[in-house]
Amino acid sequence: MAVVSMQPQVLPGRTLIGVSDWTTGLYDCSEDCGICCCALLCFPCLTCRTVKDMGECTCLPLLELCCCMGYIGCGAPCPPISLAVRATLREKYKIKGSICTDCATLCCCYSCAWCQMAREIKNRKRSYNLVTAQATAATAPIMMVPAPM
């Protein structure tokens, strides 16, 4: 068995390549009024749709909402399912941040954080929906007709 004698360290002056910011801010509800209205009228619908768009189990957020969550804050120190969803989204799209910033964001403004996640997925999917078209040439059969004499 090998013994680890040196722990990994951060090298000064290095930055991560390909890391980006959120495409919208936490309070940018005017960027997509449909998502904002969905959150206002049926917040569980927004959370379930967001998780579904990520490819996860649609009912996952309901476990958290049924237990102790509200529209403006959290009853637990940090909402565990929302935290996992937000961290997964950050990792998937290589968004700057940490688990601590995710936790603070969710505890301070739970519904705005979910709206931001929904907008992020929508914006990223829109930017990756490229239309590819291939030019194909169709040839008609050539018919040889004798010339009139």
Side-chain angles (χ1 to χ4, degrees), residues 2 5 9 15 19 35 40 58 79 84 89 92 100 105 131-132 134 138 142-143 149:
S5 60
Q9 297 176 358
T15 57
V19 177
I35 288 174
L40 183 64
T58 306
L89 187 66
K92 180 177 182 179
C100 293
T105 301
V131 177
T132 58
Q134 288 182 329
I142 298 174
M143 205 166 157
M149 294 197 183

Side-chain angles (χ1 to χ4, degrees), residues 4-144:
V4 176
S5 60
M6 192 165 128
Q7 294 295 325
Q9 297 176 358
V10 176
L11 299 174
R14 299 276 177 134
T15 57
L16 296 174
I17 298 172
V19 177
S20 63
D21 290 319
W22 293 90
T23 56
T24 61
L26 186 61
Y27 304 109
D28 287 344
C29 288
S30 62
E31 294 289 323
D32 193 323
C33 292
I35 288 174
C36 185
C37 289
C38 183
L40 183 64
L41 299 174
C42 186
F43 188 70
C45 295
L46 173 75
T47 60
C48 291
R49 187 182 68 185
T50 302
V51 172
K52 180 183 175 205
D53 290 345
M54 285 180 65
E56 300 293 332
C57 177
T58 306
C59 297
L60 188 63
L62 296 178
L63 297 173
E64 191 170 77
L65 291 171
C66 291
C67 296
C68 60
M69 303 312 295
Y71 284 91
I72 56 173
C74 60
C78 193
I81 294 171
S82 297
L83 184 62
V85 170
R86 191 167 175 91
T88 301
L89 187 66
R90 260 191 326 94
E91 289 296 316
K92 180 177 182 179
Y93 295 124
K94 295 180 174 63
I95 299 170
K96 292 178 192 172
S98 67
I99 201 80
C100 293
T101 58
D102 292 340
C103 188
T105 301
L106 286 163
C107 283
C108 291
C109 198
Y110 185 71
S111 55
C112 290
W114 272 100
C115 288
Q116 183 186 34
M117 291 188 287
R119 288 191 307 269
E120 190 69 29
I121 292 168
K122 186 176 181 180
N123 291 342
R124 299 282 179 145
K125 282 189 176 182
R126 185 181 315 141
S127 67
Y128 288 117
N129 282 342
L130 301 176
V131 177
T132 58
Q134 288 182 329
T136 56
T139 56
I142 298 174
M143 205 166 157
M144 303 286 274

